[in-house]
Amino acid sequence: PLALHLAWGAMARLWGSANRLDTELAHHPTWAAVTERYNTGAATHPAGAPLGAVGSALTSDTYRHARDWLTGDEPLAALVEAFTRHSVRLARQVGLLDPDGPGSRTRPHPTRTIYGDGTVVRPLYRPTNRGRRDPDAAQHVRYDGPIWGNELVTIAVRGPEAHRRVLLAVGRVDQPGREADTAIELIRQVHAHAGDGIQAVVYDGAFRGVHHETLMSDLGLIVINKPHPAGRDDDTRTYRQLPLGTWTHTVGRRTCRHTLVTCGGTVHDSTLDDSGRPVLSPPLDRQQIRRYRRGRTNRWRFALGVLVPCPKQTFTAWISPHPQPGETGYGRPDQLRLLPESDPLFPLLYGLRNDSEAINAAYKATLIADRASALGWRRQLLDLLSWALLTNTYAWHRHHSGPHTTQTTAP
């Protein structure tokens, strides 16, 4: 059965290699325990097919034959889609991505915030090897320089407890420099099943203004990350100032004007000092985030409300993070953040990005010599998906074996 082949792939990551797993499963009681657990699940599943008596265990040779079929274009695409669908369902079983759960658009909750990252898996053979080489590997440029391999992307969600992480989607970057496009496509797939269970997305600097605009307008999601600096000097970053416009309010018979700009993702009130140079106020406090449909279209629009302190009368200014008429490019969504770094909630949500690095490290720890377990991106993607099933199994088991659980059947 397909489930046993996927379980074999997951166990291969647990033991680190196919040879070690073959040795482990050659012990008859071990294989008997695996088939017994499978039959227990198959008996409770609507489409389950219980397995009869099997004298010999699955081996790496048997798995390779099944893998050749699973990594075909149609079976692999169907498997990846089914993985996302069932993973979202599993996440909701463990209390994540709940549309009626905690949080709001103004203050997204960590259990309704998804996050992701890409990682380059080095192939079995070096690019200088004249004999064998990975036909799908390419040179990808990272922050620490170029690296040769296949880049894979994961999207996940987690709770505050240990082993409450659920991987939601896996994918492969088809061309160097296209990580952000792959991540957005995976987020679309997750959103198709999770809907309003997702409030925000955390990602690294691979997202630029056009990607922020896509996620905000198409999916209605808040993107949480740091804006790109205009320059760096050791640990010091400088950000460009982007004018947002002039806001006026009337106090008595006088009209007061305030020029707002964004710098480092936050909104500031810009004034002039005695010498005529612009001076920025401290970051303005974020009050509220509104989301609404734009006319008859199926696209979302956001508005950020910030509190502008004025000696005459404090007021709330509503700012659009989307490109405005007359503005070229995506400078505004690239530099303005709905939830800026100065907000007290930012460290809690942006800290989820550290877990995406932990996901990459945990997966690579199952590889021998930090190299892929097979040739070709399709086999490597199936290998990552098998490991993701293993990770999700931890979350399901820890949740349903707790003292307050009543459900005992696997999804």
Side-chain angles (χ1 to χ4, degrees):
L2 173 62
L4 273 179
H5 288 289
L6 294 176
W8 194 98
M11 289 188 292
R13 297 277 52 83
L14 182 63
W15 269 274
S17 73
N19 290 335
R20 292 180 61 183
L21 180 57
D22 280 348
T23 302
E24 185 70 25
L25 293 184
H27 184 56
H28 180 72
T30 304
W31 175 246
V34 172
T35 55
E36 180 184 0
R37 183 61 58 87
Y38 166 79
N39 284 331
T40 301
T44 59
H45 197 280
L51 190 66
V54 178
S56 60
L58 279 177
T59 65
S60 56
D61 183 65
T62 308
Y63 174 74
R64 290 189 188 101
H65 285 286
R67 184 183 63 184
D68 291 340
W69 179 81
L70 286 173
T71 52
D73 290 341
E74 293 185 5
L76 185 59
L79 189 60
V80 169
E81 191 280 331
F83 170 77
T84 296
R85 173 162 37 91
H86 288 289
S87 295
V88 170
R89 178 177 156 212
L90 185 149
R92 287 183 171 168
Q93 286 185 359
V94 301
L96 307 173
L97 302 182
D98 183 2
D100 300 322
S104 64
R105 297 295 167 188
T106 302
R107 291 172 176 80
H109 196 269
T111 60
R112 297 176 67 183
T113 300
I114 63 176
Y115 56 93
D117 192 22
T119 185
V120 179
V121 180
R122 296 194 300 171
L124 277 172
Y125 306 102
R126 300 180 185 275
T128 55
N129 190 315
R130 297 183 179 181
R132 302 190 67 183
R133 59 179 296 171
D134 192 326
D136 300 326
Q139 181 173 282
H140 299 265
V141 179
R142 306 188 309 181
Y143 67 93
D144 55 352
I147 183 173
W148 187 268
N150 286 300
E151 186 170 8
L152 305 176
V153 179
T154 57
I155 304 296
V157 65
R158 71 163 300 134
E161 304 87 2
H163 299 297
R164 201 180 168 200
R165 173 205 294 155
V166 176
L167 272 73
L168 302 171
V170 296
R172 177 244 181 180
V173 180
D174 56 357
Q175 295 180 16
R178 297 286 300 274
E179 177 188 339
D181 296 333
T182 301
I184 287 182
E185 181 58 31
L186 294 180
I187 293 171
R188 286 184 187 274
Q189 295 173 16
V190 175
H191 185 268
H193 299 288
D196 278 344
I198 308 173
Q199 293 176 330
V201 177
V202 177
Y203 213 87
D204 60 14
F207 280 3
R208 298 304 301 256
V210 62
H211 308 113
H212 285 249
E213 177 64 17
T214 298
L215 292 174
M216 287 190 296
S217 298
D218 292 357
L219 303 181
L221 300 178
I222 299 171
V223 184
I224 302 171
N225 72 356
K226 298 179 180 180
H228 290 82
R232 292 185 185 180
D233 184 10
D234 295 331
D235 294 334
T236 303
R237 297 185 178 187
T238 57
Y239 298 92
R240 66 188 183 101
Q241 298 181 18
L242 183 70
L244 298 175
T246 301
W247 274 255
T248 62
H249 66 115
T250 303
V251 181
R253 297 182 178 181
R254 297 185 178 181
T255 299
C256 189
R257 298 179 179 272
H258 296 264
T259 301
L260 303 184
V261 301
T262 179
C263 181
T266 61
V267 181
H268 303 262
D269 190 359
S270 178
T271 57
L272 300 178
D273 60 11
D274 294 339
S275 60
R277 293 178 299 182
V279 176
L280 299 184
S281 69
L284 303 184
D285 292 336
R286 184 177 65 97
Q287 295 296 297
Q288 187 180 0
I289 296 176
R290 292 178 179 174
R291 189 187 72 166
Y292 54 92
R293 293 284 188 183
R294 182 179 181 180
R296 297 181 179 179
T297 66
N298 204 26
R299 297 172 65 84
W300 293 100
R301 303 292 288 182
F302 283 89
L304 171 65
V306 296
L307 194 64
V308 182
C310 177
K312 299 178 181 178
Q313 184 181 17
T314 299
F315 69 99
T316 299
W318 291 98
I319 306 170
S320 171
H322 306 279
Q324 300 298 294
E327 296 180 357
T328 59
Y330 294 90
R332 181 177 289 223
D334 185 57
Q335 293 296 314
L336 178 61
R337 294 292 178 268
L338 291 171
L339 203 153
E341 193 172 358
S342 60
D343 193 273
L345 189 59
F346 183 87
L348 175 63
L349 297 178
Y350 189 72
L352 293 171
R353 202 184 83 80
N354 296 333
D355 192 60
S356 63
E357 299 288 353
I359 291 173
N360 297 336
Y363 170 65
K364 289 184 175 181
T366 69
L367 305 177
I368 298 177
D370 194 25
R371 292 192 176 274
S373 62
L375 286 175
W377 71 265
R378 290 176 176 82
R379 293 176 177 178
Q380 293 174 24
L381 183 61
L382 178 63
D383 188 70
L384 175 62
L385 187 145
S386 300
W387 178 81
L389 287 172
L390 179 66
T391 300
N392 291 355
T393 300
Y394 286 137
W396 179 88
H397 176 72
R398 289 291 293 269
H399 179 77
H400 291 291
S401 62
H404 303 294
T405 186
T406 56
Q407 182 174 350
T408 58
T409 57

